[in-house]
Coordinates of all heavy atoms in Angstrom, one line a residue:
M24 N 31.6 -68.4 143.0 CA 31.4 -68.4 144.5 C 30.6 -69.7 144.9 O 30.9 -70.3 145.9 CB 30.7 -67.1 144.9 CG 30.7 -66.9 146.4 SD 32.4 -66.7 146.9 CE 32.2 -65.9 148.4
A25 N 29.6 -70.0 144.1 CA 28.8 -71.2 144.4 C 29.7 -72.5 144.3 O 29.5 -73.4 145.1 CB 27.6 -71.3 143.4
F26 N 30.6 -72.5 143.4 CA 31.5 -73.7 143.3 C 32.3 -73.8 144.5 O 32.6 -74.9 145.0 CB 32.3 -73.6 142.0 CG 33.1 -74.8 141.7 CD1 32.5 -76.0 141.4 CD2 34.5 -74.8 141.7 CE1 33.2 -77.2 141.1 CE2 35.2 -76.0 141.5 CZ 34.6 -77.1 141.2
L27 N 32.9 -72.7 145.0 CA 33.7 -72.7 146.2 C 32.9 -73.1 147.4 O 33.4 -73.8 148.3 CB 34.4 -71.4 146.4 CG 35.4 -71.0 145.3 CD1 35.9 -69.6 145.6 CD2 36.5 -72.0 145.3
S28 N 31.6 -72.7 147.4 CA 30.8 -73.1 148.6 C 30.5 -74.6 148.7 O 30.3 -75.1 149.7 CB 29.5 -72.3 148.6 OG 28.6 -72.8 147.6
L29 N 30.6 -75.3 147.5 CA 30.5 -76.7 147.6 C 31.6 -77.3 148.4 O 31.4 -78.3 149.1 CB 30.6 -77.3 146.2 CG 29.4 -77.2 145.3 CD1 29.7 -77.8 143.9 CD2 28.2 -78.0 145.9
G30 N 32.8 -76.8 148.4 CA 33.9 -77.2 149.2 C 33.6 -77.1 150.7 O 33.8 -78.0 151.5
A31 N 33.1 -75.9 151.1 CA 32.7 -75.7 152.5 C 31.6 -76.6 152.9 O 31.6 -77.2 154.0 CB 32.3 -74.3 152.7
Y32 N 30.6 -76.8 152.1 CA 29.5 -77.7 152.3 C 30.0 -79.1 152.5 O 29.6 -79.8 153.5 CB 28.5 -77.6 151.2 CG 27.4 -78.4 151.1 CD1 26.5 -78.5 152.2 CD2 27.1 -79.2 150.0 CE1 25.4 -79.3 152.1 CE2 26.0 -80.0 149.9 CZ 25.1 -80.0 150.9 OH 24.0 -80.8 150.9
S33 N 30.9 -79.6 151.7 CA 31.4 -80.9 151.8 C 32.2 -81.1 153.0 O 32.2 -82.2 153.6 CB 32.2 -81.3 150.5 OG 32.5 -82.6 150.5
M34 N 33.0 -80.1 153.4 CA 33.8 -80.2 154.6 C 33.0 -80.3 155.8 O 33.3 -81.0 156.8 CB 34.8 -79.0 154.6 CG 35.8 -79.0 153.5 SD 36.5 -80.6 152.9 CE 37.0 -81.3 154.4
L35 N 31.8 -79.6 155.8 CA 30.9 -79.8 157.0 C 30.4 -81.2 157.1 O 30.3 -81.8 158.2 CB 29.7 -78.8 156.8 CG 30.0 -77.4 157.1 CD1 28.8 -76.5 156.8 CD2 30.4 -77.2 158.5
L36 N 30.1 -81.8 155.9 CA 29.7 -83.3 155.9 C 30.9 -84.1 156.4 O 30.7 -85.1 157.1 CB 29.3 -83.7 154.5 CG 28.1 -83.1 153.9 CD1 27.9 -83.5 152.5 CD2 26.9 -83.4 154.7
Y37 N 32.1 -83.8 156.0 CA 33.3 -84.6 156.4 C 33.4 -84.5 157.9 O 33.6 -85.5 158.6 CB 34.5 -84.1 155.7 CG 35.8 -84.8 156.2 CD1 36.0 -86.0 155.8 CD2 36.7 -84.1 157.0 CE1 37.2 -86.7 156.2 CE2 37.8 -84.8 157.4 CZ 38.1 -86.1 157.0 OH 39.2 -86.7 157.4
W38 N 33.3 -83.3 158.5 CA 33.5 -83.1 159.9 C 32.4 -83.8 160.7 O 32.6 -84.3 161.8 CB 33.6 -81.6 160.3 CG 34.9 -81.0 159.9 CD1 36.1 -81.6 159.9 CD2 35.1 -79.7 159.4 NE1 37.1 -80.7 159.4 CE2 36.4 -79.6 159.0 CE3 34.2 -78.7 159.1 CZ2 37.0 -78.4 158.5 CZ3 34.8 -77.5 158.6 CH2 36.1 -77.4 158.3
A39 N 31.2 -83.8 160.1 CA 30.1 -84.5 160.8 C 30.3 -86.0 160.9 O 29.8 -86.7 161.8 CB 28.8 -84.2 160.1
T40 N 31.0 -86.6 159.9 CA 31.2 -88.0 159.8 C 32.6 -88.4 160.3 O 32.9 -89.6 160.3 CB 31.0 -88.5 158.4 OG1 31.9 -87.9 157.5 CG2 29.6 -88.3 157.9
W41 N 33.4 -87.5 160.7 CA 34.8 -87.7 161.1 C 34.9 -88.8 162.2 O 35.8 -89.6 162.2 CB 35.5 -86.4 161.5 CG 36.8 -86.7 162.1 CD1 37.2 -86.6 163.4 CD2 38.0 -87.2 161.4 NE1 38.5 -86.9 163.6 CE2 39.0 -87.4 162.4 CE3 38.2 -87.6 160.1 CZ2 40.2 -87.9 162.1 CZ3 39.5 -88.1 159.8 CH2 40.5 -88.2 160.8
P42 N 34.0 -88.8 163.2 CA 34.1 -89.8 164.3 C 34.1 -91.2 163.8 O 34.7 -92.1 164.4 CB 32.9 -89.5 165.2 CG 32.6 -88.1 165.0 CD 32.9 -87.8 163.5
V43 N 33.5 -91.5 162.6 CA 33.5 -92.8 162.1 C 34.5 -92.9 160.9 O 35.3 -93.9 160.9 CB 32.1 -93.2 161.5 CG1 32.1 -94.5 160.8 CG2 31.1 -93.1 162.7
V44 N 34.5 -92.0 160.1 CA 35.4 -92.1 158.9 C 36.9 -91.9 159.4 O 37.8 -92.6 158.8 CB 35.1 -90.9 157.9 CG1 36.1 -90.9 156.8 CG2 33.7 -91.1 157.4
G45 N 37.1 -91.1 160.4 CA 38.5 -90.9 160.8 C 39.2 -92.1 161.5 O 40.4 -92.1 161.6
V46 N 38.4 -93.1 161.8 CA 39.0 -94.3 162.4 C 39.8 -95.1 161.4 O 40.8 -95.7 161.7 CB 37.8 -95.2 163.0 CG1 38.4 -96.6 163.4 CG2 37.2 -94.5 164.1
W47 N 39.3 -95.0 160.1 CA 40.0 -95.8 159.0 C 40.9 -95.0 158.1 O 41.7 -95.6 157.4 CB 38.9 -96.5 158.2 CG 38.3 -97.7 158.9 CD1 38.8 -98.9 159.1 CD2 37.0 -97.7 159.6 NE1 38.0 -99.7 159.8 CE2 36.9 -99.0 160.1 CE3 36.1 -96.7 159.8 CZ2 35.7 -99.3 160.8 CZ3 34.9 -97.1 160.5 CH2 34.8 -98.4 161.0
F48 N 40.7 -93.7 158.1 CA 41.5 -92.9 157.1 C 42.2 -91.8 157.7 O 41.9 -91.3 158.8 CB 40.5 -92.4 156.0 CG 39.7 -93.4 155.3 CD1 38.4 -93.7 155.5 CD2 40.4 -94.2 154.4 CE1 37.7 -94.7 154.9 CE2 39.7 -95.2 153.7 CZ 38.4 -95.5 154.0
P49 N 43.3 -91.4 157.1 CA 44.1 -90.3 157.6 C 43.4 -89.0 157.7 O 42.4 -88.8 157.0 CB 45.3 -90.2 156.7 CG 44.9 -90.8 155.4 CD 43.8 -91.8 155.8
P50 N 43.8 -88.1 158.6 CA 43.2 -86.8 158.7 C 43.3 -86.0 157.4 O 44.2 -86.2 156.6 CB 43.9 -86.1 159.9 CG 45.1 -86.8 160.0 CD 44.9 -88.2 159.5
M51 N 42.5 -85.0 157.3 CA 42.5 -84.1 156.1 C 43.8 -83.5 155.8 O 44.2 -83.2 154.7 CB 41.4 -83.1 156.2 CG 41.1 -82.3 155.0 SD 39.9 -81.0 155.2 CE 38.7 -81.9 156.2
D52 N 44.6 -83.2 156.9 CA 45.9 -82.5 156.7 C 46.9 -83.4 155.9 O 47.8 -82.9 155.4 CB 46.5 -82.1 158.0 CG 45.7 -81.1 158.8 OD1 44.9 -80.3 158.1 OD2 45.7 -81.0 160.0
D53 N 46.6 -84.7 155.9 CA 47.5 -85.6 155.2 C 47.1 -85.8 153.7 O 47.8 -86.5 153.0 CB 47.6 -86.9 155.9 CG 48.2 -86.8 157.3 OD1 48.9 -85.8 157.5 OD2 48.0 -87.8 158.1
W54 N 46.0 -85.2 153.3 CA 45.6 -85.4 151.9 C 46.4 -84.5 151.0 O 46.6 -83.3 151.3 CB 44.1 -85.0 151.7 CG 43.2 -85.8 152.6 CD1 43.4 -86.9 153.4 CD2 41.8 -85.6 152.6 NE1 42.3 -87.3 154.0 CE2 41.2 -86.6 153.5 CE3 40.9 -84.8 152.0 CZ2 39.9 -86.7 153.8 CZ3 39.5 -84.9 152.3 CH2 39.0 -85.8 153.2
S55 N 46.7 -85.0 149.9 CA 47.4 -84.1 148.9 C 47.2 -84.7 147.5 O 46.9 -85.9 147.3 CB 48.9 -84.0 149.2 OG 49.5 -85.2 149.1
G56 N 47.3 -83.9 146.5 CA 47.2 -84.3 145.1 C 46.0 -83.7 144.4 O 45.2 -83.0 145.0
D57 N 45.9 -84.1 143.2 CA 44.8 -83.5 142.3 C 43.4 -84.0 142.7 O 42.4 -83.4 142.3 CB 45.1 -83.8 140.8 CG 46.3 -83.1 140.3 OD1 46.7 -82.1 140.9 OD2 46.9 -83.6 139.3
W58 N 43.4 -85.2 143.3 CA 42.1 -85.8 143.6 C 41.3 -85.1 144.7 O 40.1 -85.2 144.8 CB 42.3 -87.2 144.0 CG 43.0 -87.4 145.4 CD1 44.3 -87.4 145.6 CD2 42.4 -87.5 146.6 NE1 44.6 -87.5 146.9 CE2 43.4 -87.6 147.6 CE3 41.1 -87.5 147.1 CZ2 43.2 -87.7 149.0 CZ3 40.8 -87.6 148.4 CH2 41.9 -87.7 149.4
V59 N 42.0 -84.3 145.6 CA 41.4 -83.7 146.8 C 40.2 -82.8 146.4 O 39.1 -83.0 146.9 CB 42.4 -83.0 147.7 CG1 41.7 -82.3 148.8 CG2 43.5 -84.0 148.1
W60 N 40.4 -81.8 145.6 CA 39.3 -80.9 145.3 C 38.2 -81.6 144.6 O 37.0 -81.3 144.9 CB 39.8 -79.7 144.5 CG 38.8 -78.7 144.2 CD1 38.2 -78.4 143.0 CD2 38.1 -77.9 145.2 NE1 37.2 -77.4 143.2 CE2 37.2 -77.1 144.5 CE3 38.2 -77.7 146.6 CZ2 36.3 -76.2 145.2 CZ3 37.4 -76.8 147.2 CH2 36.5 -76.0 146.5
G61 N 38.5 -82.5 143.7 CA 37.4 -83.2 143.0 C 36.6 -84.1 143.9 O 35.4 -84.2 143.8
A62 N 37.3 -84.7 144.9 CA 36.6 -85.5 145.9 C 35.7 -84.6 146.8 O 34.5 -85.0 147.1 CB 37.6 -86.2 146.8
I63 N 36.2 -83.5 147.2 CA 35.5 -82.6 148.1 C 34.2 -82.1 147.4 O 33.1 -82.1 147.9 CB 36.3 -81.4 148.6 CG1 37.4 -82.0 149.5 CG2 35.5 -80.3 149.2 CD1 38.4 -81.0 149.9
T64 N 34.3 -81.6 146.2 CA 33.2 -81.1 145.5 C 32.2 -82.2 145.0 O 31.0 -82.0 145.0 CB 33.6 -80.2 144.3 OG1 34.4 -81.0 143.4 CG2 34.3 -79.0 144.7
G65 N 32.8 -83.4 144.7 CA 32.0 -84.5 144.3 C 31.1 -85.0 145.3 O 29.9 -85.3 145.1
V66 N 31.6 -85.1 146.6 CA 30.7 -85.5 147.7 C 29.6 -84.5 147.9 O 28.4 -84.9 148.1 CB 31.5 -85.7 149.0 CG1 30.6 -85.8 150.2 CG2 32.5 -86.8 148.9
A67 N 29.8 -83.3 147.8 CA 28.8 -82.3 148.0 C 27.7 -82.3 146.8 O 26.6 -82.0 147.1 CB 29.4 -80.9 148.0
M68 N 28.2 -82.7 145.7 CA 27.2 -82.8 144.5 C 26.4 -84.1 144.6 O 25.2 -84.1 144.1 CB 28.0 -82.7 143.2 CG 28.5 -81.3 143.0 SD 29.6 -80.9 141.6 CE 29.3 -82.2 140.4
V69 N 26.9 -85.2 145.1 CA 26.2 -86.4 145.1 C 25.3 -86.6 146.4 O 24.3 -87.3 146.4 CB 27.1 -87.6 145.0 CG1 26.4 -88.9 145.1 CG2 27.9 -87.5 143.6
W70 N 25.7 -86.0 147.5 CA 25.0 -86.2 148.8 C 23.5 -85.9 148.7 O 22.7 -86.5 149.4 CB 25.7 -85.4 149.9 CG 25.1 -85.6 151.2 CD1 25.1 -86.7 152.0 CD2 24.4 -84.6 152.0 NE1 24.4 -86.5 153.2 CE2 24.0 -85.2 153.2 CE3 24.1 -83.3 151.8 CZ2 23.3 -84.5 154.2 CZ3 23.4 -82.6 152.8 CH2 23.0 -83.2 153.9
P71 N 23.1 -84.9 148.0 CA 21.6 -84.6 148.0 C 20.8 -85.8 147.5 O 19.6 -85.8 147.8 CB 21.5 -83.4 147.0 CG 22.8 -82.7 147.1 CD 23.8 -83.8 147.3
V72 N 21.3 -86.8 146.9 CA 20.6 -88.0 146.6 C 20.1 -88.6 147.9 O 19.0 -89.3 147.9 CB 21.4 -88.9 145.7 CG1 20.7 -90.3 145.5 CG2 21.7 -88.3 144.4
G73 N 20.8 -88.4 148.9 CA 20.4 -89.0 150.2 C 19.0 -88.4 150.7 O 18.3 -89.1 151.4
F74 N 18.7 -87.2 150.2 CA 17.4 -86.7 150.6 C 16.2 -87.5 149.9 O 15.2 -87.6 150.5 CB 17.3 -85.2 150.1 CG 18.0 -84.3 151.0 CD1 19.3 -83.9 150.8 CD2 17.4 -83.8 152.2 CE1 20.0 -83.1 151.6 CE2 18.0 -82.9 153.0 CZ 19.4 -82.5 152.7
L75 N 16.5 -88.1 148.8 CA 15.5 -88.9 148.2 C 15.3 -90.2 149.0 O 14.1 -90.6 149.2 CB 15.9 -89.3 146.7 CG 16.0 -88.2 145.7 CD1 16.6 -88.7 144.4 CD2 14.7 -87.5 145.5
A76 N 16.3 -90.8 149.4 CA 16.2 -92.0 150.3 C 15.6 -91.6 151.6 O 14.7 -92.4 152.1 CB 17.6 -92.6 150.5
A77 N 16.0 -90.5 152.2 CA 15.4 -90.1 153.5 C 13.9 -89.8 153.3 O 13.1 -90.2 154.2 CB 16.1 -88.9 154.1
G78 N 13.5 -89.1 152.3 CA 12.1 -88.8 152.0 C 11.3 -90.1 151.8 O 10.2 -90.2 152.3
Y79 N 11.8 -91.0 151.1 CA 11.1 -92.3 150.8 C 10.9 -93.0 152.1 O 9.8 -93.5 152.4 CB 11.9 -93.1 149.8 CG 11.3 -94.4 149.5 CD1 10.1 -94.5 148.7 CD2 11.8 -95.6 150.0 CE1 9.5 -95.7 148.4 CE2 11.2 -96.8 149.6 CZ 10.0 -96.9 148.9 OH 9.4 -98.0 148.6
L80 N 12.0 -93.1 153.0 CA 11.8 -93.7 154.3 C 10.8 -93.0 155.1 O 10.0 -93.6 155.8 CB 13.1 -93.8 155.0 CG 13.1 -94.4 156.4 CD1 12.6 -95.8 156.4 CD2 14.5 -94.2 157.1
N81 N 10.8 -91.7 155.1 CA 9.8 -90.9 155.8 C 8.4 -91.2 155.4 O 7.5 -91.3 156.3 CB 10.1 -89.4 155.6 CG 9.2 -88.5 156.5 OD1 9.1 -88.7 157.7 ND2 8.5 -87.6 155.8
Q82 N 8.2 -91.4 154.1 CA 6.8 -91.7 153.6 C 6.4 -93.1 154.1 O 5.2 -93.3 154.5 CB 6.8 -91.7 152.1 CG 6.9 -90.3 151.5 CD 5.7 -89.4 152.0 OE1 4.6 -89.8 152.1 NE2 6.1 -88.2 152.5
I83 N 7.3 -94.0 154.1 CA 7.0 -95.4 154.6 C 6.7 -95.3 156.1 O 5.7 -95.9 156.6 CB 8.2 -96.3 154.4 CG1 8.4 -96.6 152.9 CG2 8.0 -97.6 155.2 CD1 9.6 -97.4 152.5
L84 N 7.5 -94.6 156.9 CA 7.2 -94.5 158.3 C 5.9 -93.7 158.6 O 5.2 -94.0 159.5 CB 8.4 -93.8 159.0 CG 9.7 -94.6 159.0 CD1 10.8 -93.8 159.6 CD2 9.5 -96.0 159.6
L85 N 5.6 -92.7 157.8 CA 4.4 -92.0 157.9 C 3.2 -92.9 157.7 O 2.2 -92.8 158.4 CB 4.3 -90.8 156.9 CG 3.2 -89.9 157.0 CD1 3.1 -89.2 158.4 CD2 3.3 -88.8 155.9
A86 N 3.2 -93.8 156.7 CA 2.2 -94.7 156.4 C 2.0 -95.7 157.6 O 0.8 -96.2 157.8 CB 2.4 -95.5 155.1
R87 N 3.0 -95.9 158.3 CA 2.9 -96.9 159.5 C 2.6 -96.1 160.8 O 2.7 -96.7 161.9 CB 4.2 -97.6 159.6 CG 4.4 -98.6 158.4 CD 5.7 -99.4 158.6 NE 5.9 -100.2 157.5 CZ 6.9 -101.0 157.3 NH1 7.9 -101.0 158.2 NH2 7.1 -101.7 156.2
N88 N 2.3 -94.9 160.7 CA 1.9 -94.0 161.8 C 3.0 -93.9 162.9 O 2.8 -93.9 164.1 CB 0.6 -94.5 162.5 CG -0.6 -94.4 161.6 OD1 -0.7 -93.4 160.9 ND2 -1.4 -95.4 161.6
V89 N 4.2 -93.8 162.4 CA 5.4 -93.6 163.3 C 5.4 -92.1 163.7 O 5.0 -91.2 162.9 CB 6.7 -94.0 162.6 CG1 7.9 -93.7 163.5 CG2 6.7 -95.5 162.2
S90 N 5.8 -91.9 165.0 CA 5.7 -90.5 165.5 C 6.7 -89.6 164.7 O 7.6 -90.0 164.1 CB 6.1 -90.5 167.0 OG 7.5 -90.8 167.1
A91 N 6.4 -88.3 164.7 CA 7.2 -87.3 164.0 C 8.6 -87.3 164.5 O 9.5 -87.1 163.7 CB 6.5 -85.9 164.1
A92 N 8.8 -87.4 165.8 CA 10.1 -87.4 166.4 C 11.0 -88.5 165.8 O 12.2 -88.4 165.5 CB 10.1 -87.4 167.9
R93 N 10.4 -89.7 165.8 CA 11.1 -90.9 165.2 C 11.4 -90.7 163.7 O 12.4 -91.1 163.2 CB 10.4 -92.2 165.5 CG 10.5 -92.5 167.0 CD 9.8 -93.8 167.2 NE 9.9 -94.1 168.7 CZ 9.7 -95.3 169.2 NH1 9.3 -96.3 168.4 NH2 9.7 -95.5 170.5
R94 N 10.4 -90.2 163.0 CA 10.7 -90.0 161.6 C 11.8 -88.9 161.3 O 12.6 -89.1 160.4 CB 9.4 -89.5 160.9 CG 8.4 -90.6 160.7 CD 7.2 -90.2 159.9 NE 6.3 -89.4 160.7 CZ 6.0 -88.1 160.4 NH1 6.4 -87.6 159.3 NH2 5.2 -87.4 161.1
R95 N 11.8 -87.9 162.1 CA 12.9 -86.9 162.0 C 14.2 -87.5 162.3 O 15.2 -87.2 161.6 CB 12.6 -85.7 162.9 CG 11.5 -84.8 162.4 CD 11.4 -83.6 163.3 NE 10.1 -82.9 162.9 CZ 9.1 -82.7 163.8 NH1 9.2 -83.2 165.0 NH2 8.0 -82.1 163.4
T96 N 14.3 -88.3 163.3 CA 15.5 -89.0 163.7 C 16.0 -89.9 162.6 O 17.2 -89.9 162.2 CB 15.3 -89.8 165.0 OG1 14.9 -88.9 166.0 CG2 16.6 -90.5 165.4
A97 N 15.1 -90.7 162.0 CA 15.4 -91.6 160.9 C 15.9 -90.8 159.7 O 16.8 -91.2 159.0 CB 14.2 -92.4 160.6
Y98 N 15.2 -89.7 159.4 CA 15.6 -88.8 158.3 C 17.0 -88.3 158.5 O 17.9 -88.4 157.6 CB 14.6 -87.6 158.3 CG 14.6 -86.9 157.0 CD1 13.7 -87.2 156.0 CD2 15.4 -85.8 156.7 CE1 13.6 -86.5 154.8 CE2 15.4 -85.1 155.6 CZ 14.5 -85.5 154.6 OH 14.4 -84.8 153.4
A99 N 17.4 -87.9 159.7 CA 18.7 -87.4 159.9 C 19.7 -88.5 159.9 O 20.9 -88.3 159.3 CB 18.8 -86.7 161.3
V100 N 19.4 -89.7 160.4 CA 20.3 -90.8 160.3 C 20.6 -91.2 158.9 O 21.8 -91.5 158.5 CB 19.8 -92.0 161.2 CG1 20.5 -93.3 160.9 CG2 19.8 -91.6 162.6
V101 N 19.6 -91.2 158.1 CA 19.8 -91.6 156.6 C 20.7 -90.6 156.0 O 21.6 -90.9 155.2 CB 18.5 -91.7 155.9 CG1 18.7 -91.8 154.4 CG2 17.7 -92.9 156.4
L102 N 20.5 -89.3 156.2 CA 21.3 -88.2 155.6 C 22.8 -88.4 156.1 O 23.7 -88.3 155.3 CB 20.8 -86.9 155.9 CG 19.5 -86.5 155.2 CD1 19.0 -85.1 155.6 CD2 19.6 -86.6 153.7
W103 N 23.0 -88.6 157.4 CA 24.3 -88.8 157.9 C 25.0 -90.0 157.3 O 26.1 -90.0 157.0 CB 24.3 -88.9 159.5 CG 25.6 -89.0 160.1 CD1 26.4 -88.0 160.4 CD2 26.3 -90.2 160.3 NE1 27.6 -88.5 160.9 CE2 27.6 -89.8 160.9 CE3 26.0 -91.5 160.2 CZ2 28.5 -90.8 161.3 CZ3 27.0 -92.5 160.6 CH2 28.2 -92.1 161.1
G104 N 24.2 -91.1 157.3 CA 24.7 -92.3 156.7 C 25.1 -92.2 155.2 O 26.1 -92.7 154.8
C105 N 24.4 -91.4 154.5 CA 24.7 -91.2 153.1 C 26.0 -90.4 153.0 O 26.9 -90.7 152.2 CB 23.6 -90.4 152.4 SG 22.2 -91.4 152.0
A106 N 26.2 -89.4 153.9 CA 27.4 -88.6 153.9 C 28.6 -89.5 154.3 O 29.7 -89.5 153.6 CB 27.3 -87.5 154.8
A107 N 28.4 -90.4 155.3 CA 29.5 -91.3 155.7 C 29.9 -92.3 154.6 O 31.0 -92.5 154.3 CB 29.1 -92.0 157.0
L108 N 28.8 -92.8 153.9 CA 29.1 -93.8 152.9 C 29.8 -93.1 151.7 O 30.8 -93.7 151.2 CB 27.7 -94.3 152.3 CG 27.8 -95.3 151.2 CD1 28.5 -96.5 151.6 CD2 26.4 -95.6 150.7
L109 N 29.5 -91.9 151.3 CA 30.2 -91.2 150.3 C 31.6 -91.0 150.6 O 32.5 -91.2 149.8 CB 29.5 -89.9 149.9 CG 28.2 -90.0 149.2 CD1 27.5 -88.7 149.1 CD2 28.4 -90.5 147.8
W110 N 31.9 -90.5 151.9 CA 33.3 -90.3 152.3 C 34.1 -91.6 152.3 O 35.2 -91.6 151.9 CB 33.4 -89.5 153.6 CG 33.2 -88.0 153.3 CD1 32.2 -87.2 153.8 CD2 34.1 -87.2 152.6 NE1 32.5 -85.9 153.3 CE2 33.6 -85.9 152.6 CE3 35.3 -87.4 151.9 CZ2 34.3 -84.8 152.0 CZ3 36.0 -86.4 151.3 CH2 35.5 -85.1 151.4
F111 N 33.4 -92.6 152.8 CA 34.1 -93.9 152.8 C 34.5 -94.3 151.4 O 35.6 -94.8 151.1 CB 33.2 -95.0 153.4 CG 33.5 -95.2 154.9 CD1 32.5 -94.7 155.8 CD2 34.6 -95.8 155.3 CE1 32.8 -94.9 157.1 CE2 34.8 -96.0 156.7 CZ 33.9 -95.5 157.6
M112 N 33.6 -94.2 150.4 CA 33.8 -94.6 149.0 C 35.0 -93.7 148.5 O 35.9 -94.3 147.8 CB 32.6 -94.4 148.2 CG 31.5 -95.5 148.5 SD 29.9 -95.2 147.8 CE 30.2 -94.7 146.2
V113 N 34.9 -92.5 148.7 CA 36.0 -91.6 148.1 C 37.3 -91.9 148.7 O 38.3 -92.0 148.0 CB 35.6 -90.1 148.3 CG1 36.8 -89.2 148.0 CG2 34.4 -89.7 147.4
L114 N 37.4 -92.0 150.0 CA 38.7 -92.2 150.7 C 39.2 -93.6 150.5 O 40.4 -93.8 150.5 CB 38.5 -91.8 152.2 CG 38.2 -90.3 152.4 CD1 38.0 -90.1 153.9 CD2 39.3 -89.4 151.9
A115 N 38.3 -94.6 150.4 CA 38.8 -95.9 150.2 C 39.4 -96.0 148.8 O 40.4 -96.8 148.6 CB 37.6 -96.9 150.3
D116 N 38.9 -95.3 147.9 CA 39.5 -95.3 146.5 C 40.9 -94.7 146.5 O 41.8 -95.1 145.8 CB 38.6 -94.5 145.6 CG 39.1 -94.5 144.1 OD1 39.4 -95.7 143.7 OD2 39.1 -93.5 143.5
Q117 N 41.1 -93.7 147.4 CA 42.4 -93.0 147.4 C 43.4 -93.7 148.4 O 44.6 -93.8 148.1 CB 42.3 -91.6 147.8 CG 41.5 -90.8 146.8 CD 42.2 -90.8 145.4 OE1 43.4 -90.7 145.3 NE2 41.4 -91.0 144.4
F118 N 42.9 -94.2 149.5 CA 43.8 -94.7 150.6 C 43.7 -96.2 150.8 O 44.4 -96.8 151.6 CB 43.6 -94.0 151.9 CG 43.9 -92.5 151.9 CD1 42.9 -91.6 151.9 CD2 45.2 -92.1 151.8 CE1 43.1 -90.2 151.9 CE2 45.5 -90.7 151.7 CZ 44.4 -89.8 151.8
G119 N 42.7 -96.8 150.1 CA 42.4 -98.2 150.4 C 43.3 -99.1 149.7 O 44.3 -99.6 149.8

């Protein structure tokens, strides 16, 4: 069950980044082949590394006395950017 939830988790990341990723790549309905499930679960397994980058940036901004609202926004942007980057890398490999 946990392995299947990786797919749902990754699809949420895909839908969150679709406004940018969808400009360059075909919609999910056009995906087919053995690579699809591996790509979906792979993105979900690698994306948590983005939390390390976001946390590091948060510590830098905290040291510079940046407000909590701006730090939260930066944290969210880094996590979204990591998800978008991962989907770009996976889809460029398949459709590029």
Side-chain angles (χ1 to χ4, degrees):
M24 193 66 161
F26 187 67
L27 293 176
S28 70
L29 282 176
Y32 174 53
S33 188
M34 295 321 309
L35 287 174
L36 293 174
Y37 177 74
W38 289 323
T40 60
W41 172 250
V43 175
V44 175
V46 172
W47 286 281
F48 300 106
M51 190 183 317
D52 293 337
D53 294 345
W54 300 359
S55 64
D57 294 337
W58 69 272
V59 175
W60 183 249
I63 289 171
T64 57
V66 167
M68 289 173 22
V69 176
W70 183 66
V72 173
F74 283 92
L75 297 173
Y79 182 70
L80 177 62
N81 184 56
Q82 291 300 315
I83 291 171
L84 295 176
L85 184 63
R87 294 182 182 178
N88 294 321
V89 174
S90 70
R93 288 186 180 191
R94 284 187 288 119
R95 287 184 192 117
T96 301
Y98 198 91
V100 167
V101 168
L102 291 178
W103 183 88
C105 286
L108 178 66
L109 286 171
W110 276 114
F111 267 107
M112 289 170 43
V113 167
L114 296 176
D116 186 46
Q117 295 302 318
F118 296 110

